[in-house]
Amino acid sequence: MPRSRSASSNFAGRVLALLLLVLGAGAEAAGIRVESASGRMVNDIYMADVTLRYDFSKDTLEALRSGVPLTVVVEIDVNRARKYLWDATVATVRQGYRIERHALSDQLVITNLVTGNRKSFPSLDSALVGFGDIDDIPVLERKHLDPAERYKVRVRARLDIESLPAPMRPLAYLSLDWRLSSRWYTWELET
Amino acid sequence: MTRRTASGMLVGLLGLSMLASLTLMGLATQDLVDFGQLYSTLLVVNSIGVVTFVILIGANLRTLIGQLRRGTPGSRLTLRMVTLFTLLAASPVLIVYSFSMDFLRRGIDSWFDLRVEQAINDALELSRSALDLKMRELLKQTQQIAEELTETSPPMMPLNLEDLRDPGSTIVANTLDFEGANLDELRRRHGADELALLSRQGGVIAFSNAVGELVPNLPNETILLQLRQGQSYIGLDPLRDGGLYVRVVVNVPRPGASSDARILQGLYPIPARMNKLAENVQRDFAHYTELAYLREQLKVSFTMTLTLVLLFGIFAAVWAAFYSARRLAQPIRDLAEGTRAVAEGDYETNLPVSSNDEMGFLVDSFNQMTRKIAGARDEAKRNRDQVDAERAYLEAVLGRLSSGVLTLDEELCIRTANASATQILGIGAARLDGSSLGEVCAAHPYLEPFRTRILPHLEQPGPDWQEQVVLFGTSGRQVLMCRGTALPDTPGGHTGHVIVYDDITALIQGQRNAAWSEVARRLAHEIKNPLTPIQLSAERLRHKYLHTMDPSDAEVLDRLTNTIVQQVETMKSMVNTFSEYARPPKMQPQALDLNRLIEEVLDLYRAAHPEARFETDLAVGIPVIEADVSRLRQVFNNLVKNALEASGPDAPPCIRVASRAIGDSSSPCVEIRVEDRGQGIAADMLEHVFEPYVTNKHKGTGLGLAIVKKIVEEHGGVVWMENRAQGGAAATIRLPVTVPGQAAESADLRRDAVL
């Protein structure tokens, strides 16, 4: 079973986030939204296309302008529905994208952290549009799917606080402006 | 390993872990790559560590407060030591902290100097200017290529980019040959990394790539828009591992109206040296701007780390203060508890010696002390037990002693008196301890002679003394033989006297009885022998000469011989009585109901003396005793007869006989009292009434009461005669209730003793 190529995730970060979640701070951040997502089979590989919309907070954009790279992690889970038990996770993909300002060229550079591919954008708006259209994320091979079963794919994107410079992290965990995460977007996997 | 040591080691380990964690966190704060990832974890771990220390200290504090409230030994010392340690540890740390914070803020602020910022900006600007020159050249160069392409441009359908992206596509992307012109060749000639001929919509018509990539690096929509507006694009693009490229996109002039508009994109690498320098400038600029942005957060972060270190330092010091104070105070607490235990009489306390220092020496000394005290206590207890045993032995001996033993202190108060002492003096079972001799004599006036006779010896202590004292008590005359001596000085300086006395009345009486028995026996023996020849001689004399004599002489002879014979008979009878007194028949004891016996005896007398009045007061249920019936019958006969004879001629005799059970369960006995209402007994005779031949009557042998006394004593009893206050005399007999089987044996023994 293909198991995730995952971006760095930190246990302590999760603990802190969970703590804040329990404390009742708004878990839903309006900053990132999955506008649409779909999948298709290409040469027996299930590929996902996701369109994200970013509404970064003022603090976040200020940090980006000041040269702090931001990392967005796109999480895709494929779950097999079960009748009496909770859904079984068949595949999990974690794909990170980093956006940073390149001062010399005055460009915003988006890097796919898995492939290392970079794209440059002259303005923030164009960058955010380019940053949002994520196509062809390979999720899993067909051989791992049973035609008799029903599968659901879900996706969400979040700002990875653990990728921020260390001094920023404690405050980022405590601030709603930084805890940006979309809701899960779910669709049926059609083999 | 004790629990405390184990917990100490555990906390020590926690402290070391925290120290390591704080060190890592310090490194992470500086954003070193390896530790930067751990920053949040370390923050949480260290916060938990600090909280753990707070909890530990809280628990210790709570225990200490509890101990202070209870006044546990050593708690005040612990408090003082903890306070002292904490102050000593916290003061310098706080001073260092405050200075460090100041330095930290100043240090971080000093990074951001306006001149440095200007320099960095200038460096960036300079780099851009340097690159601008190069870029303009490359624009011209690309425009030249475009023109070259215009001249040889064939009509060609653009490739669908999506098809190129598709790994399954069979389209070969490097079909680069044009009529008369080769894109690849152009690229090499102009030093480009990539040349791509595109349609206006971004479709790839042809491209040449130096690194052999399948897909050209396409311009984005913004650039295409700019191109569509007829402008060229030139810009720096950080591609492929951060290397800088110059992207030039120009419109390819259209040779004719019919041909499609095309655009040419060239990607040119920056020379390596320039690229390296530009990269450095970019990196440092980015780092500087990031640091400037993070300025406050860095301060917070460093402050947080430093504060955590401070808290850890202080809390660890406070905990260490608690730990060491407890360790130091523990022996003191042990000593205090041990001392308390010793004060409460527990000498078995043995404290653990935990160290080799002075405290250990003190604890060791304490242990030695308690051991010695315990030894001394055990020795004292042994001695006391020995003394108690000796005292009990002495008391047992004294208690069973027939002699009375009195000890008096210097104030003549009675310190001890054994059972016989009170019994002999006839003062019952009254406790004499503590009462003075004078008080006892005042309560019992008949004891006055006793005091009078011994007082001179007590007041002038000398060597052992001996004194015979005669008392006239309720039981008649008593002769006491007293011996005394001064007691040796006791440690308290008290002196005293010990008086030992025996009731020798019975002894004297016994001696007297024995003498009388001997007299009687000899008399019987000596007198009885000649009596028969005298009688025979008198009878023969009478028989031989009576009928030979004249009647007047014969009458005289007859009278004289008759007198001789009668007197001899009388003498024989007397001798027999003596003999009986001296040698009574063997005792034949059997179970006997005394009341019945008394009634039988009284019935005989009632018949013989109808004028006399006989009263009885016989207690119902008195114990059955073992006695010789015939001999006791004789006792009662003698007593009743004696009472009848003692009654005067003026009034009819009145005899009262009473019986009752007395004594306790250990020595039960039966008392019979025979009273008359006669003249009583003269005081000088009272002590001799039971002796033979003591009588105030004209008739009788004088042996009646002597025989009574003898028989009663043979039965282990006592008898005494006393004058009644209402007039008349009373004879009292006390007979022991004996167990069947023992009676005959003991009676024989007593009889032998009496004889």
Side-chain angles (χ1 to χ4, degrees):
Chain A
M1 184 181 293
R3 203 65 184 171
S4 61
R5 296 164 290 166
S6 65
S8 64
S9 64
N10 193 303
F11 170 73
R14 290 184 178 196
V15 170
L16 262 181
L18 191 69
L19 194 70
L20 291 165
L21 201 71
V22 170
L23 284 173
E28 172 75 17
I32 303 177
R33 186 160 50 84
V34 180
E35 195 171 80
S36 66
S38 60
R40 59 203 154 81
M41 276 291 173
V42 179
N43 296 334
D44 286 342
I45 294 176
Y46 190 75
M47 311 286 264
D49 301 325
V50 184
T51 307
L52 302 170
R53 285 294 166 258
Y54 299 95
D55 182 13
F56 283 133
S57 62
K58 193 178 157 196
D59 284 356
T60 327
L61 293 176
E62 173 65 26
L64 184 62
R65 265 195 293 276
S66 305
V68 176
L70 304 179
T71 303
V72 170
V73 177
V74 177
E75 300 172 345
I76 302 174
D77 290 348
V78 179
N79 297 325
R80 191 178 77 240
R82 288 193 289 195
K83 211 167 184 179
Y84 300 109
L85 287 168
W86 55 90
D87 293 352
T89 304
V90 179
T92 302
V93 175
R94 299 275 179 276
Q95 188 127 354
Y97 298 91
R98 187 175 67 214
I99 180 167
E100 63 196 310
R101 178 167 173 256
H102 194 269
L104 193 60
S105 61
D106 202 16
Q107 301 256 3
L108 283 163
V109 181
I110 294 170
T111 311
N112 182 330
L113 292 177
V114 177
T115 61
N117 283 341
R118 297 157 70 112
K119 281 186 181 176
S120 303
F121 297 92
S123 69
L124 180 65
D125 291 341
S126 61
L128 290 184
V129 171
F131 199 22
D133 294 331
I134 302 170
D135 296 332
D136 301 334
I137 304 172
V139 180
L140 83 167
E141 294 180 65
R142 186 195 288 275
K143 64 181 178 186
H144 297 296
L145 297 171
D146 183 352
E149 297 282 351
R150 280 179 59 237
Y151 295 94
K152 279 187 177 174
V153 187
R154 61 178 193 166
V155 64
R156 75 167 178 183
R158 60 176 172 83
L159 184 69
D160 186 20
I161 292 177
E162 276 305 307
S163 300
L164 292 173
M168 288 182 71
R169 284 177 220 162
L171 287 177
Y173 275 119
L174 297 171
S175 164
L176 279 178
D177 287 342
W178 284 94
R179 284 188 291 116
L180 306 179
S181 175
S182 74
R183 287 173 183 276
W184 284 103
Y185 185 97
T186 310
W187 72 94
E188 289 270 347
L189 189 151
E190 291 168 1
T191 53
Chain B
M1 189 189 294
T2 62
R3 195 175 148 222
R4 178 167 296 168
T5 315
S7 70
M9 285 183 70
L10 207 65
V11 177
L13 208 63
L14 170 71
L16 282 177
S17 314
M18 266 203 78
L19 203 61
S21 178
L22 283 168
T23 311
L24 289 178
M25 191 171 154
L27 295 173
T29 310
Q30 295 165 35
D31 213 10
L32 294 178
V33 178
D34 294 341
F35 300 120
Q37 297 295 326
L38 295 171
Y39 182 77
S40 302
T41 312
L42 292 171
L43 190 61
V44 171
V45 166
N46 288 329
S47 303
I48 291 172
V50 167
V51 170
T52 309
F53 266 108
V54 169
I55 292 169
L56 280 174
I57 289 167
N60 275 309
L61 206 59
R62 193 176 159 195
T63 312
L64 181 59
I65 290 170
Q67 287 176 344
L68 280 170
R69 282 190 183 151
R70 288 194 299 275
T72 309
S75 53
R76 288 181 186 284
L77 183 69
T78 309
L79 178 68
R80 271 206 295 275
M81 286 167 78
V82 166
T83 313
L84 192 67
F85 285 173
T86 307
L87 281 176
L88 283 176
S91 309
V93 171
L94 280 172
I95 291 168
V96 170
Y97 175 74
S98 98
F99 274 95
S100 301
M101 287 302 294
D102 194 40
F103 286 141
L104 184 73
R105 290 179 180 281
R106 283 167 193 269
I108 291 177
D109 285 341
S110 70
W111 295 350
F112 306 101
D113 191 284
L114 269 178
R115 282 170 299 182
V116 176
E117 195 173 334
Q118 187 60 48
I120 294 259
N121 284 329
D122 289 351
L124 189 73
E125 199 55 44
L126 184 63
S127 305
R128 280 182 182 156
S129 305
L131 289 169
D132 263 358
L133 204 63
K134 177 78 179 165
M135 280 155 69
R136 269 198 291 277
E137 285 175 15
L138 290 172
L139 177 63
K140 281 182 186 168
Q141 196 175 321
T142 313
Q143 282 168 341
Q144 273 181 8
I145 298 170
E147 281 167 13
E148 280 181 40
L149 283 174
T150 309
E151 293 161 8
T152 58
S153 170
M156 203 160 181
M157 287 299 290
L159 291 174
N160 187 345
L161 200 60
E162 291 304 319
D163 293 341
L164 282 174
R165 275 188 184 145
D166 188 346
S169 171
T170 53
I171 294 171
V172 180
N174 55 356
T175 310
L176 300 171
D177 290 337
F178 291 85
E179 290 176 11
N182 187 308
L183 207 56
D184 214 17
E185 197 273 327
L186 281 173
R187 180 182 63 75
R188 268 198 296 275
R189 183 146 50 86
H190 292 283
D193 208 50
E194 183 182 296
L195 271 182
L197 191 62
L198 310 168
S199 71
R200 275 212 160 176
Q201 283 72 37
V204 179
I205 296 167
F207 82 96
S208 167
N209 193 305
V211 290
E213 281 185 3
L214 291 176
V215 183
N217 193 307
L218 296 173
N220 57 43
E221 276 300 319
T222 318
I223 297 172
L224 290 176
L225 190 68
Q226 192 176 331
L227 265 292
R228 280 200 284 274
Q229 288 167 355
Q231 295 170 2
S232 297
Y233 169 86
I234 180 159
L236 282 169
D237 217 340
L239 294 172
R240 298 193 196 101
D241 306 325
L244 268 180
Y245 288 81
V246 176
R247 185 191 294 271
V248 185
V249 191
V250 295
N251 283 311
V252 179
R254 284 186 288 187
S258 60
S259 63
D260 289 332
R262 289 172 294 175
I263 53 179
L264 176 70
Q265 172 183 270
L267 285 177
Y268 299 94
I270 302 287
R273 172 71 183 152
M274 193 176 264
N275 199 1
K276 177 74 181 160
L277 290 174
E279 193 181 321
N280 287 348
V281 169
Q282 157 65 28
R283 192 188 60 234
D284 291 344
F285 181 83
H287 187 63
Y288 185 81
T289 50
E290 185 183 292
L291 275 184
Y293 172 74
L294 294 175
R295 186 172 172 171
E296 287 309 315
Q297 281 144 329
L298 264 177
K299 281 182 192 170
V300 170
S301 181
F302 279 123
T303 306
M304 201 183 293
T305 309
L306 202 59
T307 308
L308 272 177
V309 172
L310 171 86
L311 289 178
F312 165 68
I314 288 181
F315 290 158
V318 172
W319 182 85
F322 267 110
Y323 183 75
S324 23
R326 268 207 318 268
R327 276 185 77 92
L328 282 174
Q330 186 57 43
I332 295 171
R333 187 177 300 138
D334 289 348
L335 270 176
E337 283 171 1
T339 313
R340 189 179 294 163
V342 168
E344 286 168 0
D346 176 13
Y347 302 118
E348 306 306 323
T349 312
N350 198 21
L351 303 180
V353 183
S354 54
S355 57
N356 294 323
D357 55 6
E358 287 78 1
M359 196 56 80
F361 174 72
L362 193 60
V363 171
D364 194 39
S365 301
F366 177 84
N367 286 340
Q368 281 182 21
M369 182 189 77
T370 51
R371 274 200 295 278
K372 282 182 180 167
I373 292 177
R377 178 202 57 183
D378 293 345
E379 183 65 30
K381 188 173 181 302
R382 271 198 297 280
N383 289 341
R384 202 166 53 241
D385 288 349
Q386 203 172 344
V387 168
D388 285 349
E390 282 176 6
R391 181 192 294 271
Y393 169 75
L394 205 59
E395 278 181 1
V397 169
L398 287 176
R400 304 301 179 276
L401 210 59
S402 62
S403 304
V405 179
L406 268 185
T407 55
L408 305 172
D409 60 14
E410 67 268 29
E411 302 294 329
L412 300 185
C413 289
I414 297 170
R415 284 168 63 189
T416 56
N418 67 348
S420 300
T422 54
Q423 193 186 336
I424 290 172
L425 293 181
I427 48 180
R431 284 198 65 80
L432 297 177
D433 299 1
S435 47
S436 74
L437 201 56
E439 289 167 358
V440 174
C441 291
H444 306 277
Y446 61 90
L447 293 176
E448 193 55 36
F450 178 73
R451 192 173 76 96
T452 316
R453 296 296 294 274
I454 66 168
L455 210 52
H457 300 290
L458 303 181
E459 285 171 347
Q460 292 179 338
D464 294 359
W465 50 269
Q466 186 169 331
E467 188 73 50
Q468 187 165 324
V469 181
V470 179
L471 300 178
F472 295 96
T474 51
S475 57
R477 183 173 179 272
Q478 249 186 318
V479 183
L480 304 185
M481 175 55 72
C482 304
R483 285 177 295 277
T485 188
L487 285 170
D489 287 358
T490 53
H494 301 297
T495 56
H497 307 274
V498 57
I499 304 164
V500 180
Y501 49 88
D502 292 289
D503 186 352
I504 56 169
T505 318
L507 184 67
I508 293 170
Q509 191 68 45
Q511 286 171 349
R512 205 170 280 167
N513 289 348
W516 272 112
S517 289
E518 182 62 22
V519 168
R521 192 178 61 79
R522 289 196 171 203
L523 211 59
H525 182 72
E526 296 297 333
I527 294 174
K528 202 173 179 179
N529 287 346
L531 282 182
T532 307
I534 290 172
Q535 191 181 12
L536 288 174
S537 296
E539 283 177 352
R540 194 174 172 189
L541 199 65
R542 185 176 170 233
H543 182 73
K544 194 171 180 178
Y545 295 105
L546 189 62
H547 57 280
T548 60
M549 293 176 83
D550 57 39
S552 60
D553 290 337
E555 187 192 357
V556 171
L557 182 67
D558 185 41
R559 200 173 64 241
L560 290 176
T561 51
N562 274 341
T563 303
I564 289 170
V565 170
Q566 280 173 6
Q567 289 303 316
V568 167
E569 280 296 325
T570 306
M571 201 170 279
K572 267 188 181 173
S573 163
M574 190 185 291
V575 166
N576 282 338
T577 311
F578 270 117
S579 180
E580 189 180 338
Y581 173 75
R583 197 167 36 246
K586 192 173 168 63
M587 283 273 286
Q588 289 179 335
Q590 57 182 309
L592 171 64
D593 182 355
L594 269 178
N595 287 348
R596 202 170 145 196
L597 180 64
I598 291 167
E599 287 289 356
E600 282 175 17
V601 172
L602 288 182
D603 283 347
L604 287 175
Y605 280 91
R606 280 190 186 107
H609 298 273
E611 80 285 359
R613 188 154 61 91
F614 293 94
E615 292 176 4
T616 52
D617 179 14
L618 304 176
V620 179
I622 58 168
V624 172
I625 61 166
E626 286 274 312
D628 187 324
V629 178
S630 59
R631 292 171 77 78
L632 271 194
R633 191 189 298 275
Q634 189 178 358
V635 166
F636 293 127
N637 267 328
N638 284 4
L639 284 177
V640 174
K641 190 176 160 201
N642 202 49
L644 280 172
E645 288 171 353
S647 300
D650 304 333
C654 180
I655 312 296
R656 183 175 179 274
V657 182
S659 71
R660 62 175 177 146
I662 58 166
D664 53 22
S665 59
S666 62
S667 57
C669 58
V670 178
E671 186 184 87
I672 301 102
R673 199 171 158 84
V674 181
E675 297 171 358
D676 64 59
R677 299 194 183 162
Q679 298 298 314
I681 303 162
D684 57 339
M685 276 189 69
L686 199 57
E687 58 181 302
H688 303 293
V689 286
F690 289 103
E691 291 175 16
Y693 287 96
V694 175
T695 178
N696 55 358
K697 292 175 288 199
H698 303 294
K699 298 187 286 181
T701 58
L703 284 173
L705 286 180
I707 289 169
V708 165
K709 183 175 173 64
K710 203 154 172 286
I711 292 172
V712 169
E713 285 178 352
E714 279 170 9
H715 281 86
V718 290
V719 58
W720 69 90
M721 189 69 88
E722 59 194 342
N723 285 320
R724 294 173 66 229
Q726 302 89 342
T732 308
I733 298 171
R734 279 185 185 170
L735 291 170
V737 177
T738 48
V739 181
Q742 288 183 356
E745 188 185 341
S746 57
D748 288 344
L749 284 172
R750 277 192 296 273
R751 193 186 59 196
D752 293 346
V754 170
L755 288 175

